[in-house]
Amino acid sequence: MAFRGFFPAVLFGLTTILVLALSFSLVVSIVLSFTSLTEHSVKWVITGVAFVTMFLGGTISGAKAKEKGWMAGATTALLFSVLTFLIQYLGYNTGFSNEQYMYHGGYILAAALGGIIGVNLSSNK
């Protein structure tokens, strides 16, 4: 795998994850502010969308990398987890809880699976 192809693919996947996550956060915040729904009532929807977003980011990362999709997807989700941890630790002075470690572990697995599928979708065989 070329050095030039792997890291731009990972950054493209990470950008996709961030754009999708921020877009969905905006939609959820608008829905929560104009309806009687609470954060607790949409918790499972948010969790599901988070895993789908990681899967899509991994898929795009794997498709751009064209090989070793599991590594591209996992690296994409790992960078997202590190970015999330840094924002939480430096901005809010708290680390990850055990529940958050489990979620981020699942994110890495979902993105790795997406990367595997992304490589197979991008092959021209």
Side-chain angles (χ1 to χ4, degrees), residues 17-36:
I17 289 172
L18 292 175
V19 166
L20 290 174
L22 290 174
S23 300
F24 184 72
S25 294
L26 177 66
V27 170
V28 168
S29 67
I30 290 171
V31 167
L32 289 176
S33 64
F34 291 116
T35 64
S36 62

Side-chain angles (χ1 to χ4, degrees), residues 5 18 27 67 78 87:
L18 292 175
V27 170
E67 60 185 27
L78 185 64
I87 290 171

